[in-house]
Amino acid sequence: MAKKVKAQSEYKLPNPLIYRLSNPNYTIYHRAALGGLAATIQAWDDEQPDGIKAEVERDHVHLSWDGSLSDQDFLRRLIDASFKRDTDSKLIELPGQQIKTGIKDLRLAIHNGIAATFLQHNKMRPGEKTPRMMPLNDADGKELGVFSYKAVNEYAHQKAQGLGLFDVKEGGGLPAKAAIPQWMVPGATGGAAALEAATDEIILLMYLMVGSAVFLLRPRTFQEKAQACVIVPDVIDLKRFANAVKRTAASGQNFERLSNTYLGRIVGGAEEAALSFLLDLHSEEMIKSERSVAGCIVVGMGKVAWDKNQINRSLIAKVRDDYEEIAVFKAARPLGKSKIIKTKDGLNYVVRSSPLPELIAANLAAGKHWCANFKLLVSDKKDFQQMRFAREGLIAMKEKIESAVDQAVIHTFHEAWRLTMTGLYRRDKARESDTVVSLDNRQERIRNEILRAKTAGLLANWFLQFCANATRNGPLRVSPDEMNLVRQFIFEERNFQRFQNLCLFALVSYRGKETVETATTGGNE
């Protein structure tokens, strides 16, 4: 045992210690951790730890310390200044995430997210057995409700738990290598041999939790087993990233943030979380054509069949923020607004209003058409009727679509539906019937007809007949160019699913209000 300690104590950290983004051995996890270290140093401002000098440049971080400090003393001071805990609430506090004092709701969301990902095991965050309750208010001071969390007395990062960095005698050196535990990289498993890295690399990876973002998941369509996710950004500029992190946590500025509140950190799916985070991170950089990250990977964490005891990686996806139809997701995001419900035991629980943002984000990340699988959200009659209440949001999405083909299909469908409503009104007026009931019945019949079409040819023939029947009540206000695009598109078998989903989307996103008043005017706007 003495020989082992002696071998460990021989290693000495280089002083200065320089971490470079350009290191060819670094993965996205190292670059995200380096971003977390840079953000932490920025948060210190002029109050750097005693005896330590830290500087952030665009492509590297420079750490140096007083020669009178041992490596252990340097590391202890570095850790103490980087990983904190609020003494009153016992919430995890990461200075590098630059959340202002008093913003309790975002702190609580991050605390719960970290407890479900990096520090999911109780041994990594020992604390009180009985959950604490915290009342939260929204930005206007209105009470949201009371939410629970597990208070912690300490957590793994604060003592470099299990790394053996402080196992040698006080004031001594550090081991040359250490294991990479799951509290450092969520989901990391070593297999037959433990994952190891050099000590300077291990110190850097401790900051992965700072440079990453955590979200809580409430999926309604995909990834049903996912409960939380970790977003690991691919950092390409340390200074810009540190500034972007500060802006993302701020409130009351010119740019609306999607993820700087408790409710904003609860989303439907992992890809939705990643896109929300990236859009927040680049909210101002988009205008300046500057970037601090080149996309990210998102790691979904949930229960899997082969492990009943802990949360594991249930998915991993690469996500960018420059998809062709990213504006459609941005328009859809408000539809998934989180809402609070009461549980049977009187506590508050957050659910999502709509699965649509989750679906679109998953489609974009997978390289699919933005509307892929939309039919799953309206195949049930009850879900279809519920989707119609989101019409204003669907209209906003429609207006952001870039594809000329998609716009042509939706516009042609809307024109045919407008004329169909006009015909229904005229008929019901003559019969003195209830037009609202007729409109609802016809819309339900059209939904079933679209869903029953099993080939491109059948759906194309139905669509053309739908348009032809509508022209009995007036001309379709569709340009020749739009009609040519539609005809070229609808008969190709490879376009069948896209066409079917677009028809269903058009059915629930018509701009006019389907009322007697609308039909009276022939659907004119």
Side-chain angles (χ1 to χ4, degrees), residues 387-438:
M387 185 68 71
R388 291 163 58 187
F389 289 110
R391 182 172 287 109
E392 291 304 315
L394 297 170
I395 291 169
M397 290 172 56
K398 186 264 179 188
E399 292 175 348
K400 295 296 183 180
I401 297 171
E402 296 285 344
S403 169
V405 172
D406 290 1
Q407 288 283 11
V409 170
I410 294 170
H411 180 226
T412 304
F413 190 104
H414 283 172
E415 276 296 292
W417 176 241
R418 176 182 67 84
L419 294 173
T420 299
M421 288 195 299
T422 300
L424 287 174
Y425 169 75
R426 290 171 179 168
R427 185 199 69 183
D428 290 344
K429 183 178 180 181
R431 297 178 179 177
E432 297 183 352
S433 301
D434 188 339
T435 303
V436 174
V437 174
S438 296

Side-chain angles (χ1 to χ4, degrees), residues 45-117:
D45 293 325
D46 296 327
E47 299 180 2
Q48 296 192 1
D50 273 349
I52 297 177
K53 183 179 180 181
E55 298 176 357
V56 177
E57 298 296 336
R58 183 188 64 81
D59 60 347
H60 72 275
V61 164
H62 183 284
L63 290 170
S64 60
W65 55 98
D66 191 290
S68 63
L69 295 178
S70 70
D71 287 357
Q72 281 194 13
D73 292 335
F74 155 72
L75 183 56
R76 171 49 60 199
R77 294 185 186 189
L78 185 69
I79 289 175
D80 289 346
S82 303
F83 304 99
K84 297 181 178 292
R85 180 186 64 97
D86 182 80
T87 53
D88 294 328
S89 64
K90 292 191 175 183
L91 289 173
I92 294 168
E93 181 179 339
L94 302 175
Q97 297 197 343
Q98 306 191 51
I99 303 170
K100 292 183 179 179
T101 303
I103 304 181
K104 297 191 299 182
D105 65 325
L106 182 55
R107 288 185 185 278
L108 177 60
I110 292 174
H111 177 94
N112 286 342
I114 287 174
T117 53

Side-chain angles (χ1 to χ4, degrees), residues 139-324:
D140 299 322
K142 182 180 178 182
E143 184 177 332
L144 293 174
V146 179
F147 299 86
S148 65
Y149 70 96
K150 288 289 187 71
V152 301
N153 297 327
E154 61 181 4
Y155 55 98
H157 293 69
Q158 291 184 302
K159 55 182 181 179
Q161 186 167 331
L163 299 181
L165 299 182
F166 300 110
D167 287 353
V168 295
K169 64 180 181 179
E170 186 71 22
L174 298 172
K177 291 184 178 181
I180 301 176
Q182 288 204 23
W183 61 258
M184 187 177 289
V185 181
T189 54
L195 293 175
E196 286 187 333
T199 297
D200 56 347
E201 187 178 334
I202 288 289
I203 294 171
L204 174 61
L205 286 173
M206 289 180 67
Y207 288 84
L208 178 61
M209 187 168 74
V210 183
S212 301
V214 289
F215 282 71
L216 300 172
L217 305 183
R218 302 286 188 269
R220 289 182 57 186
T221 55
F222 303 102
Q223 305 153 204
E224 293 292 344
K225 293 179 181 179
Q227 297 170 324
C229 69
V230 177
I231 299 165
V232 183
D234 193 358
V235 178
I236 58 176
D237 189 306
L238 297 173
K239 279 195 168 182
R240 288 177 183 167
F241 179 76
N243 290 330
V245 168
K246 185 176 182 179
R247 289 197 308 269
T248 300
S251 58
Q253 297 187 12
N254 295 331
F255 291 87
E256 181 184 1
R257 304 299 195 270
L258 302 175
S259 60
N260 67 341
T261 64
Y262 181 84
L263 296 183
R265 287 293 176 120
I266 299 177
V267 296
E271 296 91 346
E272 179 187 354
L275 278 181
S276 299
F277 174 73
L278 289 175
L279 290 173
D280 276 356
L281 205 63
H282 285 159
S283 58
E284 294 181 24
E285 293 174 4
M286 283 183 171
I287 292 177
K288 301 174 184 176
S289 298
E290 298 174 346
R291 287 292 187 271
S292 60
V293 305
C296 68
I297 60 171
V298 57
V299 181
M301 305 289 290
K303 289 295 180 75
V304 294
W306 45 267
D307 190 343
K308 303 295 184 182
N309 297 321
Q310 66 178 11
I311 297 174
N312 291 273
R313 290 184 183 182
S314 56
L315 69 93
I316 185 169
K318 189 173 182 178
V319 182
R320 313 188 317 269
D321 68 350
D322 59 350
Y323 298 105
E324 184 177 350

